[in-house]
Amino acid sequence: MYWNKEMEKITGRDKKEAIKKEVKEILGFDFSWEEIQRSLEFEEEFFIRNWPIKDHFEEEHLLNLHFFLWKKEGKKTNVMCLVEDVTQKARWGENIRQMEKLSSISRFIASVAHEINNPLTVISGYTQMLLQKAKENRQCEVCRATQRGLEKIEKEAEYCGRLIQELVDFSKPMILNKEDIDLNFLVQDSLSVLDVLMDDKIKLELNFSNDVLLVRVDKSRMRQVFLNLAKNALEAMKEEGGKLQINTRIAPLEHFSFPENGTGNGRFVEIEFIDRGKGIPEKTLPHIFEPFFTTKEKGTGLGLSISYSIVRAHKGWIEVSSQEGGGARIKVFLPQGGGN
C-alpha cells in the first residue's frame, strides 16, 4: 500500500514495482508470511535481523525488518514495516572482528617464528658445510648422491626461511612511509609486471576515473596489495580465460562517518577488481582473509591476510562478493586525500 523514497533507494525498486505486490515477492522471503501474520494477531512485534536482498545492480544489502500492527479495518489487518539498511554496520562489525583475530594470531606467530628460526639456522649451516665437503669429492658416487640430497635440504630450508620471514613481517607492527600519489598512476604502475601472467585467453580492461584521485599511502605496500589481488584474479581465470576489469572511482559514501577507522569526513576512493574466473565457494568466502587459509596447491595463505592488514593500516577496508562459477568482485576502499 505504501513504499517511500528510502525503500526505492535501498532496494532499487521504484514505487510502481512495489505497490500491490506480495511482500515475499519484493523482499524475497523464503519463509511463511502466515508466520508473521499469526504473531501479529496476538499484537506481538515481529523482527527479522540481517535479511539479505539484492538490488538491480546485484549488490547485496542487509536489512533489519521490524513488523508491527498499524490498524485494523474490520477483518482486514494493516501492517507497518520499518526497514533499516544495516549493510555498512554489519561489514564494519566483521572488519573489527577480523582485526581482533589477526592481532591475536600475529602475537602467536611472532613467538612461534622465533622458536623455529633458531633450529632452522643450525640446519642450514650444517647443510652448507656438508654440501661443500660433498662437492670436493666429485669422484665418489656416494658423495654425488649425498650432494643431491643436501641440495634438496638446502632448497627446502631456504623456502622455510622465506616463509618465516613472511610470518615475522606479518606479525610486526606495520610502519608506513606515506606519500601523496595519484591512485590511477599507482594502480597502473602496480600492474606493469603482470605481462608474464597474461596470454591470449586473458584480457585486462582498465576503467579509470577522470577525477584526480589523490591518496596518501605507502607506495610499495599498496603496490603489493594491488599486485596480489590482480594475480589472484588472473590465476582464477588461468584455465578458462576471461577478462580482468579494474575500475577506480570516488566512492559514494559522503554521508557515512567511520569513527572506528579514524576518518571523520567519510570521503573514500574505490578500486574494484572484477574477474570472470571460477569464483569463491560460499563456505570458503568468510575465511579468505585468515592467515594460512589457502586453496592453492603451493600457497602460503598469507597473501590476502597481509593485503587486508595493509589496507586497514591505511584506514581503509576490503569488500568481497563472489559465487562459485560466477567470478569475483573485490573492492578496496581508501580515504580520499590521504590522512596522517
Side-chain angles (χ1 to χ4, degrees):
M1 295 173 59
Y2 179 72
W3 188 263
N4 66 9
K5 290 289 185 182
E6 191 64 24
M7 283 301 292
E8 289 184 349
K9 186 167 68 173
I10 289 174
T11 64
R13 295 175 180 269
D14 61 30
K15 186 176 181 180
K16 293 179 180 178
E17 292 180 272
I19 296 298
K20 296 185 178 180
K21 295 284 178 60
E22 291 281 347
V23 174
K24 61 183 179 181
E25 178 185 346
I26 298 297
L27 297 179
F29 286 151
D30 59 358
F31 55 83
S32 173
W33 174 246
E34 285 72 23
E35 180 184 347
I36 298 177
Q37 290 179 307
R38 282 196 297 270
S39 297
L40 295 177
E41 283 175 2
F42 295 98
E43 297 187 356
E44 296 178 3
E45 297 177 350
F46 195 90
F47 188 77
I48 301 174
R49 185 184 301 276
N50 292 343
W51 182 257
I53 68 165
K54 289 187 177 181
D55 59 23
H56 285 326
F57 301 101
E58 291 299 309
E59 291 286 341
E60 186 174 80
H61 296 261
L62 296 177
L63 308 180
N64 282 352
L65 308 175
H66 187 187
F67 295 91
F68 57 93
L69 288 177
W70 177 25
K71 61 182 179 180
K72 290 186 177 182
E73 300 175 353
K75 294 183 178 181
K76 181 180 177 182
T77 302
N78 294 326
V79 176
M80 175 75 77
C81 179
L82 296 181
V83 179
E84 181 186 10
D85 189 338
V86 294
T87 309
Q88 290 294 335
K89 289 182 181 179
R91 286 172 178 166
W92 275 107
E94 185 59 36
N95 270 278
I96 293 170
R97 286 191 290 273
Q98 181 71 16
M99 288 305 296
E100 290 172 347
K101 185 190 298 183
L102 291 177
S103 178
S104 61
I105 291 174
S106 295
R107 291 192 294 271
F108 173 73
I109 285 174
S111 60
V112 171
H114 177 74
E115 293 300 322
I116 294 176
N117 197 51
N118 289 335
L120 184 62
T121 302
V122 175
I123 292 171
S124 297
Y126 274 100
T127 300
Q128 291 171 10
M129 183 183 68
L130 293 172
L131 188 57
Q132 185 62 36
K133 293 290 185 182
K135 288 178 179 179
E136 292 173 358
N137 297 277
R138 295 183 180 277
Q139 304 303 319
C140 172
E141 187 176 338
V142 174
C143 292
R144 289 198 298 270
T146 302
Q147 179 182 338
R148 289 192 293 271
L150 289 170
E151 286 173 346
K152 289 182 179 180
I153 293 173
E154 184 181 43
K155 184 178 179 181
E156 293 302 315
E158 288 176 356
Y159 170 75
C160 289
R162 290 196 301 271
L163 180 57
I164 288 173
Q165 187 57 51
E166 285 188 33
L167 294 175
V168 172
D169 291 342
F170 176 76
S171 63
K172 287 191 303 187
M174 196 171 295
I175 300 174
L176 302 176
N177 298 311
K178 294 183 179 181
E179 59 181 299
D180 291 325
I181 191 166
D182 179 80
L183 180 65
N184 292 339
F185 169 79
L186 180 57
V187 173
Q188 195 158 23
D189 182 56
S190 303
L191 304 179
S192 61
V193 298
L194 288 178
D195 292 346
V196 294
L197 298 177
M198 305 289 287
D199 56 34
D200 294 337
K201 296 191 298 182
I202 298 176
K203 305 297 181 184
L204 179 63
E205 180 182 311
L206 302 177
N207 298 313
F208 288 160
S209 171
N210 292 325
D211 298 303
V212 177
L213 304 183
L214 190 67
V215 288
R216 187 171 181 79
V217 296
D218 186 312
K219 181 179 177 180
S220 62
R221 295 278 192 175
M222 204 52 64
R223 284 181 83 254
Q224 183 182 354
V225 173
F226 297 153
L227 185 57
N228 186 50
L229 295 178
K231 284 175 64 178
N232 284 349
L234 294 178
E235 288 174 8
M237 298 186 290
K238 191 174 182 179
E239 295 179 6
E240 302 294 331
K243 180 175 67 175
L244 171 58
Q245 182 179 335
I246 301 176
N247 309 316
T248 64
R249 64 175 71 92
I250 294 176
L253 300 173
E254 288 81 358
H255 59 293
F256 287 91
S257 179
F258 303 105
E260 183 273 333
N261 77 344
T263 58
N265 55 29
R267 296 194 300 270
F268 289 85
V269 296
E270 176 186 330
I271 311 94
E272 184 178 42
F273 296 77
I274 305 173
D275 69 66
R276 306 294 189 269
K278 54 189 177 182
I280 305 171
E282 186 178 354
K283 63 180 181 180
T284 301
L285 198 57
H287 305 290
I288 60 173
F289 293 120
E290 295 177 3
F292 311 115
F293 182 87
T294 181
T295 57
K296 300 178 183 178
E297 206 171 305
K298 296 184 179 180
T300 62
L302 289 173
L304 283 177
S305 297
I306 293 173
S307 297
Y308 184 93
S309 298
I310 291 172
V311 173
R312 292 294 293 118
H314 284 83
K315 301 177 181 177
W317 74 96
I318 302 177
E319 295 178 4
V320 182
S321 58
S322 179
Q323 289 183 344
E324 190 170 9
R329 180 189 298 255
I330 297 181
K331 297 181 179 181
V332 179
F333 293 87
L334 295 170
Q336 185 183 1
N340 297 322

